[in-house]
Amino acid sequence: MTEGAFQSHRSSGRPTVGLVLTGGGSRAAYQVGALLALSELWPRSRNPFQVIVGTSAGAMAAAVLAAEAHQWRRAVQGLERVWANFRSEQIFHVDPVHMLRAGMHWVLALASGGLVLTPPKSMLDNSPLRHLLGVHIDFSGIRRSLSRGHLRAVALCSTSYVTGHSVAFYDGIEACTEWSRVQRVGRRTELTVDHLMSSAAIPLLFPPMRLGDEYFGDGAMRQLNPLSPAIHLGADRVLIIGVRARQSAGVPVTRTQPMMPSPGEIFGYMLDTLFTDQIYGDLEQLDKINELVKQAPEAAGGSRHVETLMLAPSVDPREIASRHGHELPKGLRALLRVIGGRDASGFQLASYLTFESGYTRELIELGYRDAMEARDALDAFMSGEKTPQVVATSPGVVAQAT
């Protein structure tokens, strides 16, 4: 029955649209704002995205949307309520006692060469996040969404510390079969909170998650082709909501002379690379494949044309984070000050770790505004029409369509 519903959907001429939510720590609040705008632009009760793929923080929203696909507007409103009222304490322990205990653990482990204490599993304890996810996500709802035809497939992406492969853990209709490519695989499974915790296990910051006989970490680490899961699961068009500002929205460099970057600044740029660099490379590669399919379909090796559209912040999140540093808990503020993660160099690290409501609300507003300004392009994209060329210069939008 479910597959028949999707075959009917295809025969109607409407595309199978996939949603890809990239990783980005607290910057994922931007994605929630964009989703809020989309829920108003398309006020129908059923989920407009037949395929949903999430990585790291993006996997959290993906799981909520999949579990409540039959009432996706209510699901988005729930996401907005959570993200608009966030506190860092809901993600990891940042009170002075926990931070001091963690610091002493590191010092003793290093000083004793691991003889007195073994090194901690991570810098931060994210057990509060697990509790939050358990309260707000009914994973059994994913199976109901699939069986009732509200969803074709959902995938949560992680990285195996054993094989080094990017693994898309997915659940979907029978037509969605497992795949294996170079350094990336798709595994069918019944999704749980463990899969979500593994997808969001940022290296060093959060502990790895054991699934079966393997340990897994953040899905962005080895995700060289972040669009691949959505395409394997049947998407004809893919809407990507990213978290890195467009090039024209960067924070201006104010340094008058070269300065040694701080550890916090380096870590911030590592997270920036981890979460966003691959998506742009994959978009460029897909554009080349689309051109090959168009010009020489017989040489395309079975590849099909997949149109994409990307929403990206029109204001750099670093700029927004700089205005909310005072809201951080004292323990986290002290940690960032020590490692140089919240200074005039750009607030790169703070823009990924600031989960306070003032910051997340401003990102939600930005995502909402950017999506509303791109409404014409989004309407055309979702309906299967050719995306307007003007979208390439619209605020917050990058287009890769052929």
Side-chain angles (χ1 to χ4, degrees), residues 245-281:
R246 293 173 296 117
Q247 191 170 7
S248 59
V251 174
V253 178
T254 57
R255 289 174 172 169
T256 57
Q257 59 182 357
M259 294 178 62
M260 176 73 74
S262 67
E265 188 178 357
I266 293 172
F267 195 19
Y269 277 103
M270 286 174 59
L271 291 183
D272 200 51
T273 299
L274 177 72
F275 290 133
T276 57
D277 276 5
Q278 295 92 332
I279 195 74
Y280 293 103

Side-chain angles (χ1 to χ4, degrees), residues 16-27:
T16 297
V17 182
L19 174 67
V20 171
L21 299 171
T22 66
S26 56
R27 289 190 183 195

Side-chain angles (χ1 to χ4, degrees), residues 43 95 149 153 190 197 203 219 249 290 296 306 320 389:
D95 58 277
E190 183 173 338
M197 290 296 291
N290 284 341
V306 178
I320 300 174
Q389 290 300 311

Side-chain angles (χ1 to χ4, degrees), residues 50-181:
Q50 295 85 54
V51 177
I52 302 175
V53 177
T55 300
S56 196
M60 302 176 197
V64 171
L65 295 178
E68 301 183 46
H70 63 294
Q71 47 190 7
W72 87 287
R73 290 191 70 196
R74 195 176 85 172
V76 172
Q77 290 167 359
L79 281 170
E80 192 272 338
R81 283 194 300 272
V82 171
W83 279 88
N85 296 285
F86 245 141
R87 304 185 314 278
S88 295
E89 290 87 349
Q90 295 175 285
I91 306 299
F92 39 73
H93 289 296
V94 290
D95 58 277
V97 173
H98 275 89
M99 298 297 286
L100 179 61
R101 184 183 301 158
M104 291 300 296
H105 192 153
W106 277 105
V107 170
L108 288 173
L110 291 172
S112 67
L115 295 177
V116 175
L117 285 175
T118 58
K121 296 178 180 178
S122 61
M123 290 178 61
L124 300 172
D125 176 3
N126 64 344
S127 55
L129 174 61
R130 186 184 188 89
H131 173 74
L132 180 72
L133 297 176
V135 169
H136 289 280
I137 303 177
D138 176 14
F139 283 89
S140 64
I142 294 177
R143 290 303 312 165
R144 289 195 296 270
S145 295
L146 292 166
S147 63
R148 295 175 183 177
H150 298 299
L151 186 69
R152 176 184 172 89
V154 57
L156 308 179
C157 301
S158 299
T159 301
S160 170
Y161 281 113
V162 175
T163 65
H165 290 167
S166 174
V167 181
F169 292 105
Y170 77 93
D171 203 353
I173 63 173
E174 190 176 343
C176 298
T177 58
E178 294 188 349
W179 65 91
S180 179
R181 300 292 185 271

Side-chain angles (χ1 to χ4, degrees), residues 174-361:
E174 190 176 343
C176 298
T177 58
E178 294 188 349
W179 65 91
S180 179
R181 300 292 185 271
V182 177
Q183 292 190 332
R184 52 191 168 95
V185 299
R187 295 184 189 174
R188 179 185 291 274
T189 188
E190 183 173 338
L191 298 171
T192 68
V193 69
D194 287 345
H195 296 95
L196 197 46
M197 290 296 291
S198 73
S199 182
I202 301 173
L204 298 181
L205 284 181
F206 301 143
M209 186 72 213
R210 182 173 179 174
L211 298 171
D213 296 328
E214 297 178 68
Y215 278 93
F216 290 85
D218 196 284
M221 282 192 288
R222 299 297 292 271
Q223 197 177 42
L224 302 179
N225 302 93
L227 303 181
S228 171
I231 296 171
H232 277 293
L233 294 171
D236 302 314
R237 291 191 166 200
V238 181
L239 174 65
I240 308 113
I241 307 181
V243 296
R244 177 194 280 177
R246 293 173 296 117
Q247 191 170 7
S248 59
V251 174
V253 178
T254 57
R255 289 174 172 169
T256 57
Q257 59 182 357
M259 294 178 62
M260 176 73 74
S262 67
E265 188 178 357
I266 293 172
F267 195 19
Y269 277 103
M270 286 174 59
L271 291 183
D272 200 51
T273 299
L274 177 72
F275 290 133
T276 57
D277 276 5
Q278 295 92 332
I279 195 74
Y280 293 103
D282 206 17
L283 282 168
E284 183 177 0
Q285 181 66 22
L286 183 58
D287 193 41
K288 294 178 181 177
I289 294 175
N290 284 341
E291 188 63 26
L292 179 62
V293 171
K294 179 180 179 181
Q295 299 295 334
E298 69 284 351
S303 298
R304 53 193 170 86
H305 186 281
V306 178
E307 199 157 342
T308 62
L309 184 67
M310 183 170 180
L311 281 171
S314 58
V315 177
D316 198 309
R318 292 178 294 172
E319 180 181 327
I320 300 174
S322 69
R323 297 194 289 269
H324 296 277
H326 64 282
E327 299 174 14
L328 290 168
K330 290 182 179 179
L332 183 57
R333 205 184 316 163
L335 174 63
L336 292 176
R337 184 166 54 247
V338 168
I339 65 176
R342 52 178 299 269
D343 52 30
S345 62
F347 289 84
Q348 188 88 304
L349 182 57
S351 72
Y352 286 105
L353 296 181
T354 301
F355 283 93
E356 306 311 309
S357 60
Y359 176 64
T360 57
R361 287 181 181 181

Side-chain angles (χ1 to χ4, degrees), residues 6-54:
F6 280 103
Q7 288 171 356
S8 174
H9 177 89
R10 284 184 177 274
S11 62
S12 69
R14 296 182 66 84
T16 297
V17 182
L19 174 67
V20 171
L21 299 171
T22 66
S26 56
R27 289 190 183 195
Y30 175 85
Q31 298 172 335
V32 175
L35 289 169
L36 189 62
L38 299 183
S39 71
E40 294 182 12
L41 292 175
W42 311 315
R44 58 186 180 179
S45 58
R46 290 189 58 165
N47 167 38
F49 301 106
Q50 295 85 54
V51 177
I52 302 175
V53 177

